[in-house]
Amino acid sequence: MKNIDTVGHVTGKSVYLDDIPTIAGTLHAAVVGSEFAHAKIINININEAAKIEGVVKIILHSDIPGENQIGGIIEDEMLLAEHEVHYQGQPIAVVVAESERIARRAAHMVKVTYEELAPVTNPREAKEKSLLLIPPRTFSMGNIDEAWRKCKHIVNGTVEIGGQEHLYIETQGAYAYPMEGGYIRVHSSTQGPTAVQKTISKVLGVPMHLIEVDVVRLGGGFGGKEDQASGFAAMAALATHITGKPVKLVLPRHDDMRITGKRHPYSADFKIGLSDDLKILAYEATLYQNGGAAADLSPAILERTLFHSTGSYFIPNTRVTAYSCKTNLPPNTAFRGFGGPQGMFVIESAIAKAAEHIGVDAIDIQKANLLKENDEFQYGQRAENVNAHKCIELASNKFNLVNLKKSIENYNKNNKYSKSGLAIMPLCFGISFTNTAMNQARALVHIYQDGSVSVSTGAIEMGQGVNTKLAQITALMLGISIQRVKVHSTNTTRVANTSPTAASTGADLNGHAVRIATSALKKRLISVAAQELGCSEDELNIENETITLNGKITHLSWQNLIKKAHLKRIALTENGHYATPIIYFDKTKEKGHPFAYHVYGTGIITVTVDCLRGTYCIDDVYIVHDFGNSINSIIDLGQVEGAVVQGIGWVTMEELAFDKKGKLLSNSLSTYKVPDIFFAPKTIECIALPTEGPNLAILRSKAIGEPPFMYGIAAFFAIQNAIKSFNPKHRFKFDSPLTPEKVLMQLYSKDETDITK
Ligand code: MTE
Ligand code: HPA
Ligand code: MOS
């Protein structure tokens, strides 16, 4: 089953926000952003800008009829700055004009006078100054202080992890237009239509039922539109509210890169202790999250970092403390993995450092500590249906790890200025929103009189193929052809109070809701069929658009059955509601059972480093992934390929550069490099671990969106290994992204300092 959007995408017929036909008289908006990362606003002069022909209105904070507040978790973020700005690009004004060009030109003419203040950009400095977004949190297990005494090897280290620009192809944007009686309809490029609706309602000071949010699809979100679409939608709706006209706001790429938050950079200290037989007995870490200027989703992201801070390993004694630090950068936000990758990067660094110190291969430590059935996670949940060992074993066999390692050794022996390296990344990722309440979804299913079916859910299609999966589930449940099923836009008037499509739960949560709605419909239809055919309900089924009696075709077709049901006045509409069972989490104890299940896998990455230039090439990526019983292996494989390349980009070439004053230097595609087809691995081979799949996954098909991102982390360690074989004096440095510049420095460094105890 191909993605139902494939043809539309390649023929350019798929509709994105910017393709929605605009109503005559539509105005266009542009954002005026702060020049400085930290400053007092002395004066805003709009006189020159307002004089430009075609400028309709310049909106300032004082024009906001409701609350000037867009903070989701913590109310600490203004829609438009009032007296102070806290990051470069922070919105100060919105210019509304007759054309996009005029709006943007006028935006440059708005003159803001500032008094510069000293910015803080480093999370450790922020922590020193007590600039924290929330109080620190600690996850722990066992008795760490005692455990150190039992360790044969103890190693300390420091880790720096860079952020990442989402670079969704479609930038942030929204189109708002007035209906009657103050009702506003908004098309928004958002992963969270309800968040958009709530934010607009708050900013305008109107009830949520006067705001309708509709989303056809996104040209990518990757987490960047879970929270941050709301502000831009609120600006468009505010402009509509004030002018009474339709208003469209689409960010130019430069503005999007400058204004919006990114993946969180983290800084970390670790200490790891092992026994003689390479068992990790103790692990302690302090993590400094660079949150940016407002909380946004940082508290939830910090929490997921803690959940994943021991990676795929069982460690009996742990203590991990995480600080969410407030800095003068754009508020950092959700990005594929949601803080998990950073937590995992730190433990993998600790393992690499321990391996270097002991003189063993990191793989031996990884293998010796992989989770086993019933092992306890730091957060209290016990590991069930653990596939960690199965994945690494299958990967070792299928991809002949012994041979791979041998051929790299040989290559390195025979080549002086070109070195190869290999690393493994075991994966264990928890599925569910860590905030239990968010794990709910609804679906509205109509069967029309002609037998066609309409499905609405809270799921947002952002390229991950959720609509195809929902159509498949509907067709499968009702026993009809997928051609009869239309998955509609995501709309807050059809499905309300939605959780964002995030945490890789889109297909699970909304799929279960569709399953519940369609099975109720099917039950009613079978009862009609039983009356028609004069037999009992349990002998009947719907298969291939026909009613079957004990598996044999009857004369009653799907279409006829629907006609009959309608004449009998049977409801052909159903609303399904799903809430993930079992899960809970007690934040006062930092213990619970937060995840419905975990996704496992093993990634192997090999690289070759040019030791004269510091450049490198990602050669091969081999993956064994635990898909469960995939309902769409083409889509799922696409998710693996996309995610792993995005993960590799994060730890290698994607470098966000800010100057000391907190100004983004890498603010365009000429300075911010992402993997392209030339950089992509020569091969990505992914095989599925044959498993049944867990009950709580929809049709036992495991969530796929984020987990494979983590495999990319192996690229970092593979390059470190290659550097080491060229420069034996090199001591592993955990400073991501590992750009060619850094590789070159490390190839020739004479640094033998080893921070061990
Ligand atoms: N795939 C594409 N093509 N585009 C995206 O924006 N977002 C990722 C992932 N895969 C994304 C994607 C992220 S961050 C998440 S959480 C999941 O898709 C969300 O969708 P799902 O819950 O339906 O898997
Ligand atoms: N993952 C992704 N997005 C989220 C989460 C999560 O766990 N919690 C809140 N938003
Ligand atoms: Mo994904 S970061 O949970 O949108």
PDB file of all heavy atoms in Angstrom, residues 311-340:
ATOM      1  N   GLY A 311      19.524   5.222  28.166  1.00  0.00           N
ATOM      2  CA  GLY A 311      19.510   4.578  26.852  1.00  0.00           C
ATOM      3  C   GLY A 311      18.856   3.210  26.868  1.00  0.00           C
ATOM      4  O   GLY A 311      17.768   3.032  27.430  1.00  0.00           O
ATOM      5  N   SER A 312      19.528   2.251  26.255  1.00  0.00           N
ATOM      6  CA  SER A 312      18.983   0.891  26.132  1.00  0.00           C
ATOM      7  C   SER A 312      19.541  -0.029  27.201  1.00  0.00           C
ATOM      8  O   SER A 312      19.575  -1.236  27.009  1.00  0.00           O
ATOM      9  CB  SER A 312      19.387   0.292  24.791  1.00  0.00           C
ATOM     10  OG  SER A 312      19.014   1.124  23.770  1.00  0.00           O
ATOM     11  N   TYR A 313      20.030   0.563  28.289  1.00  0.00           N
ATOM     12  CA  TYR A 313      20.798  -0.226  29.244  1.00  0.00           C
ATOM     13  C   TYR A 313      20.104  -0.346  30.593  1.00  0.00           C
ATOM     14  O   TYR A 313      19.349   0.537  30.993  1.00  0.00           O
ATOM     15  CB  TYR A 313      22.184   0.398  29.423  1.00  0.00           C
ATOM     16  CG  TYR A 313      22.839   0.658  28.093  1.00  0.00           C
ATOM     17  CD1 TYR A 313      22.919   1.951  27.574  1.00  0.00           C
ATOM     18  CD2 TYR A 313      23.296  -0.404  27.295  1.00  0.00           C
ATOM     19  CE1 TYR A 313      23.469   2.184  26.319  1.00  0.00           C
ATOM     20  CE2 TYR A 313      23.847  -0.174  26.040  1.00  0.00           C
ATOM     21  CZ  TYR A 313      23.932   1.122  25.553  1.00  0.00           C
ATOM     22  OH  TYR A 313      24.455   1.351  24.319  1.00  0.00           O
ATOM     23  N   PHE A 314      20.423  -1.438  31.262  1.00  0.00           N
ATOM     24  CA  PHE A 314      19.985  -1.578  32.645  1.00  0.00           C
ATOM     25  C   PHE A 314      21.148  -1.159  33.529  1.00  0.00           C
ATOM     26  O   PHE A 314      22.221  -1.764  33.482  1.00  0.00           O
ATOM     27  CB  PHE A 314      19.570  -3.019  32.964  1.00  0.00           C
ATOM     28  CG  PHE A 314      19.324  -3.208  34.439  1.00  0.00           C
ATOM     29  CD1 PHE A 314      18.249  -2.573  35.052  1.00  0.00           C
ATOM     30  CD2 PHE A 314      20.185  -3.968  35.217  1.00  0.00           C
ATOM     31  CE1 PHE A 314      18.034  -2.693  36.420  1.00  0.00           C
ATOM     32  CE2 PHE A 314      19.976  -4.106  36.580  1.00  0.00           C
ATOM     33  CZ  PHE A 314      18.894  -3.462  37.187  1.00  0.00           C
ATOM     34  N   ILE A 315      20.934  -0.139  34.310  1.00  0.00           N
ATOM     35  CA  ILE A 315      21.973   0.346  35.227  1.00  0.00           C
ATOM     36  C   ILE A 315      21.354   0.389  36.622  1.00  0.00           C
ATOM     37  O   ILE A 315      20.411   1.142  36.855  1.00  0.00           O
ATOM     38  CB  ILE A 315      22.489   1.741  34.800  1.00  0.00           C
ATOM     39  CG1 ILE A 315      22.924   1.710  33.326  1.00  0.00           C
ATOM     40  CG2 ILE A 315      23.642   2.183  35.708  1.00  0.00           C
ATOM     41  CD1 ILE A 315      23.389   3.035  32.777  1.00  0.00           C
ATOM     42  N   PRO A 316      21.859  -0.447  37.537  1.00  0.00           N
ATOM     43  CA  PRO A 316      21.182  -0.594  38.827  1.00  0.00           C
ATOM     44  C   PRO A 316      21.246   0.645  39.724  1.00  0.00           C
ATOM     45  O   PRO A 316      20.359   0.846  40.543  1.00  0.00           O
ATOM     46  CB  PRO A 316      21.902  -1.787  39.479  1.00  0.00           C
ATOM     47  CG  PRO A 316      23.206  -1.907  38.763  1.00  0.00           C
ATOM     48  CD  PRO A 316      22.994  -1.385  37.388  1.00  0.00           C
ATOM     49  N   ASN A 317      22.304   1.449  39.559  1.00  0.00           N
ATOM     50  CA  ASN A 317      22.441   2.617  40.431  1.00  0.00           C
ATOM     51  C   ASN A 317      22.641   3.875  39.587  1.00  0.00           C
ATOM     52  O   ASN A 317      23.633   3.982  38.866  1.00  0.00           O
ATOM     53  CB  ASN A 317      23.627   2.438  41.377  1.00  0.00           C
ATOM     54  CG  ASN A 317      23.483   1.159  42.184  1.00  0.00           C
ATOM     55  OD1 ASN A 317      22.657   1.072  43.087  1.00  0.00           O
ATOM     56  ND2 ASN A 317      24.259   0.138  41.811  1.00  0.00           N
ATOM     57  N   THR A 318      21.687   4.775  39.667  1.00  0.00           N
ATOM     58  CA  THR A 318      21.778   5.966  38.819  1.00  0.00           C
ATOM     59  C   THR A 318      21.355   7.201  39.598  1.00  0.00           C
ATOM     60  O   THR A 318      20.598   7.115  40.574  1.00  0.00           O
ATOM     61  CB  THR A 318      20.804   5.874  37.624  1.00  0.00           C
ATOM     62  OG1 THR A 318      19.467   5.841  38.125  1.00  0.00           O
ATOM     63  CG2 THR A 318      21.046   4.644  36.782  1.00  0.00           C
ATOM     64  N   ARG A 319      21.845   8.333  39.118  1.00  0.00           N
ATOM     65  CA  ARG A 319      21.315   9.617  39.574  1.00  0.00           C
ATOM     66  C   ARG A 319      21.565  10.609  38.445  1.00  0.00           C
ATOM     67  O   ARG A 319      22.703  10.924  38.128  1.00  0.00           O
ATOM     68  CB  ARG A 319      21.990  10.080  40.862  1.00  0.00           C
ATOM     69  CG  ARG A 319      21.385  11.414  41.370  1.00  0.00           C
ATOM     70  CD  ARG A 319      21.692  11.675  42.835  1.00  0.00           C
ATOM     71  NE  ARG A 319      23.126  11.683  43.075  1.00  0.00           N
ATOM     72  CZ  ARG A 319      23.696  11.260  44.207  1.00  0.00           C
ATOM     73  NH1 ARG A 319      22.953  10.792  45.191  1.00  0.00           N
ATOM     74  NH2 ARG A 319      25.005  11.293  44.342  1.00  0.00           N
ATOM     75  N   VAL A 320      20.485  11.042  37.831  1.00  0.00           N
ATOM     76  CA  VAL A 320      20.612  11.989  36.719  1.00  0.00           C
ATOM     77  C   VAL A 320      19.791  13.232  37.051  1.00  0.00           C
ATOM     78  O   VAL A 320      18.592  13.139  37.330  1.00  0.00           O
ATOM     79  CB  VAL A 320      20.140  11.372  35.385  1.00  0.00           C
ATOM     80  CG1 VAL A 320      20.391  12.336  34.243  1.00  0.00           C
ATOM     81  CG2 VAL A 320      20.829  10.039  35.119  1.00  0.00           C
ATOM     82  N   THR A 321      20.462  14.361  37.036  1.00  0.00           N
ATOM     83  CA  THR A 321      19.795  15.630  37.343  1.00  0.00           C
ATOM     84  C   THR A 321      19.806  16.507  36.099  1.00  0.00           C
ATOM     85  O   THR A 321      20.812  16.572  35.395  1.00  0.00           O
ATOM     86  CB  THR A 321      20.526  16.348  38.500  1.00  0.00           C
ATOM     87  OG1 THR A 321      20.467  15.507  39.642  1.00  0.00           O
ATOM     88  CG2 THR A 321      19.882  17.683  38.826  1.00  0.00           C
ATOM     89  N   ALA A 322      18.682  17.138  35.846  1.00  0.00           N
ATOM     90  CA  ALA A 322      18.599  17.957  34.634  1.00  0.00           C
ATOM     91  C   ALA A 322      18.089  19.358  34.970  1.00  0.00           C
ATOM     92  O   ALA A 322      17.130  19.521  35.725  1.00  0.00           O
ATOM     93  CB  ALA A 322      17.677  17.289  33.621  1.00  0.00           C
ATOM     94  N   TYR A 323      18.777  20.333  34.400  1.00  0.00           N
ATOM     95  CA  TYR A 323      18.409  21.738  34.573  1.00  0.00           C
ATOM     96  C   TYR A 323      17.895  22.295  33.255  1.00  0.00           C
ATOM     97  O   TYR A 323      18.540  22.116  32.215  1.00  0.00           O
ATOM     98  CB  TYR A 323      19.636  22.566  34.990  1.00  0.00           C
ATOM     99  CG  TYR A 323      20.179  22.201  36.349  1.00  0.00           C
ATOM    100  CD1 TYR A 323      21.166  21.226  36.480  1.00  0.00           C
ATOM    101  CD2 TYR A 323      19.709  22.838  37.489  1.00  0.00           C
ATOM    102  CE1 TYR A 323      21.674  20.891  37.733  1.00  0.00           C
ATOM    103  CE2 TYR A 323      20.210  22.503  38.746  1.00  0.00           C
ATOM    104  CZ  TYR A 323      21.193  21.536  38.858  1.00  0.00           C
ATOM    105  OH  TYR A 323      21.685  21.207  40.089  1.00  0.00           O
ATOM    106  N   SER A 324      16.754  22.967  33.312  1.00  0.00           N
ATOM    107  CA  SER A 324      16.237  23.627  32.122  1.00  0.00           C
ATOM    108  C   SER A 324      16.632  25.097  32.228  1.00  0.00           C
ATOM    109  O   SER A 324      16.098  25.834  33.052  1.00  0.00           O
ATOM    110  CB  SER A 324      14.712  23.478  32.084  1.00  0.00           C
ATOM    111  OG  SER A 324      14.227  24.014  30.892  1.00  0.00           O
ATOM    112  N   CYS A 325      17.611  25.488  31.429  1.00  0.00           N
ATOM    113  CA  CYS A 325      18.242  26.801  31.606  1.00  0.00           C
ATOM    114  C   CYS A 325      17.662  27.837  30.657  1.00  0.00           C
ATOM    115  O   CYS A 325      17.478  27.579  29.466  1.00  0.00           O
ATOM    116  CB  CYS A 325      19.741  26.670  31.388  1.00  0.00           C
ATOM    117  SG  CYS A 325      20.457  25.348  32.389  1.00  0.00           S
ATOM    118  N   LYS A 326      17.417  29.014  31.212  1.00  0.00           N
ATOM    119  CA  LYS A 326      16.831  30.102  30.435  1.00  0.00           C
ATOM    120  C   LYS A 326      17.943  30.958  29.837  1.00  0.00           C
ATOM    121  O   LYS A 326      18.766  31.505  30.559  1.00  0.00           O
ATOM    122  CB  LYS A 326      15.941  30.940  31.358  1.00  0.00           C
ATOM    123  CG  LYS A 326      15.192  32.015  30.645  1.00  0.00           C
ATOM    124  CD  LYS A 326      14.198  32.691  31.564  1.00  0.00           C
ATOM    125  CE  LYS A 326      13.649  33.914  30.849  1.00  0.00           C
ATOM    126  NZ  LYS A 326      12.592  34.562  31.563  1.00  0.00           N
ATOM    127  N   THR A 327      17.965  31.026  28.526  1.00  0.00           N
ATOM    128  CA  THR A 327      19.014  31.793  27.847  1.00  0.00           C
ATOM    129  C   THR A 327      18.370  32.754  26.849  1.00  0.00           C
ATOM    130  O   THR A 327      17.170  32.692  26.595  1.00  0.00           O
ATOM    131  CB  THR A 327      19.965  30.856  27.068  1.00  0.00           C
ATOM    132  OG1 THR A 327      19.178  30.145  26.097  1.00  0.00           O
ATOM    133  CG2 THR A 327      20.680  29.874  27.984  1.00  0.00           C
ATOM    134  N   ASN A 328      19.188  33.605  26.257  1.00  0.00           N
ATOM    135  CA  ASN A 328      18.653  34.572  25.296  1.00  0.00           C
ATOM    136  C   ASN A 328      18.747  34.060  23.861  1.00  0.00           C
ATOM    137  O   ASN A 328      19.294  34.706  22.972  1.00  0.00           O
ATOM    138  CB  ASN A 328      19.362  35.918  25.456  1.00  0.00           C
ATOM    139  CG  ASN A 328      19.085  36.522  26.815  1.00  0.00           C
ATOM    140  OD1 ASN A 328      19.943  36.574  27.686  1.00  0.00           O
ATOM    141  ND2 ASN A 328      17.852  36.939  27.023  1.00  0.00           N
ATOM    142  N   LEU A 329      18.220  32.865  23.668  1.00  0.00           N
ATOM    143  CA  LEU A 329      18.090  32.292  22.324  1.00  0.00           C
ATOM    144  C   LEU A 329      16.600  32.093  22.069  1.00  0.00           C
ATOM    145  O   LEU A 329      15.808  32.070  23.017  1.00  0.00           O
ATOM    146  CB  LEU A 329      18.813  30.947  22.234  1.00  0.00           C
ATOM    147  CG  LEU A 329      20.321  30.944  22.488  1.00  0.00           C
ATOM    148  CD1 LEU A 329      20.885  29.550  22.283  1.00  0.00           C
ATOM    149  CD2 LEU A 329      21.038  31.934  21.565  1.00  0.00           C
ATOM    150  N   PRO A 330      16.196  31.925  20.801  1.00  0.00           N
ATOM    151  CA  PRO A 330      14.779  31.628  20.559  1.00  0.00           C
ATOM    152  C   PRO A 330      14.374  30.414  21.403  1.00  0.00           C
ATOM    153  O   PRO A 330      15.188  29.515  21.604  1.00  0.00           O
ATOM    154  CB  PRO A 330      14.744  31.293  19.061  1.00  0.00           C
ATOM    155  CG  PRO A 330      15.923  31.978  18.481  1.00  0.00           C
ATOM    156  CD  PRO A 330      16.974  31.969  19.553  1.00  0.00           C
ATOM    157  N   PRO A 331      13.147  30.404  21.906  1.00  0.00           N
ATOM    158  CA  PRO A 331      12.720  29.284  22.758  1.00  0.00           C
ATOM    159  C   PRO A 331      12.877  27.961  22.009  1.00  0.00           C
ATOM    160  O   PRO A 331      12.235  27.751  20.978  1.00  0.00           O
ATOM    161  CB  PRO A 331      11.244  29.587  23.025  1.00  0.00           C
ATOM    162  CG  PRO A 331      11.090  31.047  22.777  1.00  0.00           C
ATOM    163  CD  PRO A 331      12.079  31.398  21.711  1.00  0.00           C
ATOM    164  N   ASN A 332      13.744  27.105  22.535  1.00  0.00           N
ATOM    165  CA  ASN A 332      13.935  25.824  21.847  1.00  0.00           C
ATOM    166  C   ASN A 332      12.731  24.933  22.084  1.00  0.00           C
ATOM    167  O   ASN A 332      11.970  25.122  23.026  1.00  0.00           O
ATOM    168  CB  ASN A 332      15.248  25.195  22.285  1.00  0.00           C
ATOM    169  CG  ASN A 332      16.416  25.919  21.648  1.00  0.00           C
ATOM    170  OD1 ASN A 332      16.365  26.257  20.450  1.00  0.00           O
ATOM    171  ND2 ASN A 332      17.448  26.224  22.424  1.00  0.00           N
ATOM    172  N   THR A 333      12.549  23.968  21.178  1.00  0.00           N
ATOM    173  CA  THR A 333      11.249  23.291  21.136  1.00  0.00           C
ATOM    174  C   THR A 333      11.377  21.821  20.765  1.00  0.00           C
ATOM    175  O   THR A 333      12.474  21.277  20.657  1.00  0.00           O
ATOM    176  CB  THR A 333      10.315  24.076  20.168  1.00  0.00           C
ATOM    177  OG1 THR A 333       8.971  23.644  20.356  1.00  0.00           O
ATOM    178  CG2 THR A 333      10.715  23.877  18.715  1.00  0.00           C
ATOM    179  N   ALA A 334      10.226  21.196  20.547  1.00  0.00           N
ATOM    180  CA  ALA A 334      10.186  19.784  20.171  1.00  0.00           C
ATOM    181  C   ALA A 334      10.930  19.549  18.859  1.00  0.00           C
ATOM    182  O   ALA A 334      10.861  20.365  17.936  1.00  0.00           O
ATOM    183  CB  ALA A 334       8.735  19.334  19.998  1.00  0.00           C
ATOM    184  N   PHE A 335      11.650  18.472  18.795  1.00  0.00           N
ATOM    185  CA  PHE A 335      12.276  18.033  17.540  1.00  0.00           C
ATOM    186  C   PHE A 335      12.479  16.530  17.658  1.00  0.00           C
ATOM    187  O   PHE A 335      13.104  16.066  18.619  1.00  0.00           O
ATOM    188  CB  PHE A 335      13.607  18.753  17.313  1.00  0.00           C
ATOM    189  CG  PHE A 335      14.146  18.655  15.898  1.00  0.00           C
ATOM    190  CD1 PHE A 335      14.846  19.713  15.342  1.00  0.00           C
ATOM    191  CD2 PHE A 335      13.943  17.527  15.115  1.00  0.00           C
ATOM    192  CE1 PHE A 335      15.351  19.644  14.038  1.00  0.00           C
ATOM    193  CE2 PHE A 335      14.426  17.445  13.814  1.00  0.00           C
ATOM    194  CZ  PHE A 335      15.138  18.510  13.279  1.00  0.00           C
ATOM    195  N   ARG A 336      11.953  15.818  16.704  1.00  0.00           N
ATOM    196  CA  ARG A 336      12.069  14.357  16.595  1.00  0.00           C
ATOM    197  C   ARG A 336      12.954  13.724  17.679  1.00  0.00           C
ATOM    198  O   ARG A 336      14.176  13.884  17.660  1.00  0.00           O
ATOM    199  CB  ARG A 336      12.621  14.011  15.217  1.00  0.00           C
ATOM    200  CG  ARG A 336      12.108  12.697  14.664  1.00  0.00           C
ATOM    201  CD  ARG A 336      12.521  12.561  13.225  1.00  0.00           C
ATOM    202  NE  ARG A 336      11.760  11.530  12.534  1.00  0.00           N
ATOM    203  CZ  ARG A 336      11.710  11.391  11.226  1.00  0.00           C
ATOM    204  NH1 ARG A 336      12.384  12.220  10.448  1.00  0.00           N
ATOM    205  NH2 ARG A 336      11.005  10.439  10.672  1.00  0.00           N
ATOM    206  N   GLY A 337      12.320  13.038  18.587  1.00  0.00           N
ATOM    207  CA  GLY A 337      13.034  12.411  19.699  1.00  0.00           C
ATOM    208  C   GLY A 337      12.789  13.134  21.013  1.00  0.00           C
ATOM    209  O   GLY A 337      12.917  12.556  22.075  1.00  0.00           O
ATOM    210  N   PHE A 338      12.475  14.447  20.905  1.00  0.00           N
ATOM    211  CA  PHE A 338      11.940  15.225  22.033  1.00  0.00           C
ATOM    212  C   PHE A 338      12.832  15.138  23.268  1.00  0.00           C
ATOM    213  O   PHE A 338      12.385  14.807  24.355  1.00  0.00           O
ATOM    214  CB  PHE A 338      10.527  14.693  22.346  1.00  0.00           C
ATOM    215  CG  PHE A 338       9.606  15.688  23.000  1.00  0.00           C
ATOM    216  CD1 PHE A 338       9.089  16.763  22.297  1.00  0.00           C
ATOM    217  CD2 PHE A 338       9.231  15.536  24.328  1.00  0.00           C
ATOM    218  CE1 PHE A 338       8.211  17.664  22.906  1.00  0.00           C
ATOM    219  CE2 PHE A 338       8.355  16.438  24.949  1.00  0.00           C
ATOM    220  CZ  PHE A 338       7.845  17.499  24.238  1.00  0.00           C
ATOM    221  N   GLY A 339      14.138  15.393  23.100  1.00  0.00           N
ATOM    222  CA  GLY A 339      15.054  15.354  24.245  1.00  0.00           C
ATOM    223  C   GLY A 339      15.657  13.982  24.483  1.00  0.00           C
ATOM    224  O   GLY A 339      16.711  13.862  25.106  1.00  0.00           O
ATOM    225  N   GLY A 340      15.019  12.950  23.964  1.00  0.00           N
ATOM    226  CA  GLY A 340      15.558  11.587  24.099  1.00  0.00           C
ATOM    227  C   GLY A 340      16.952  11.449  23.497  1.00  0.00           C
ATOM    228  O   GLY A 340      17.863  10.919  24.143  1.00  0.00           O
TER     229      GLY A 340
END
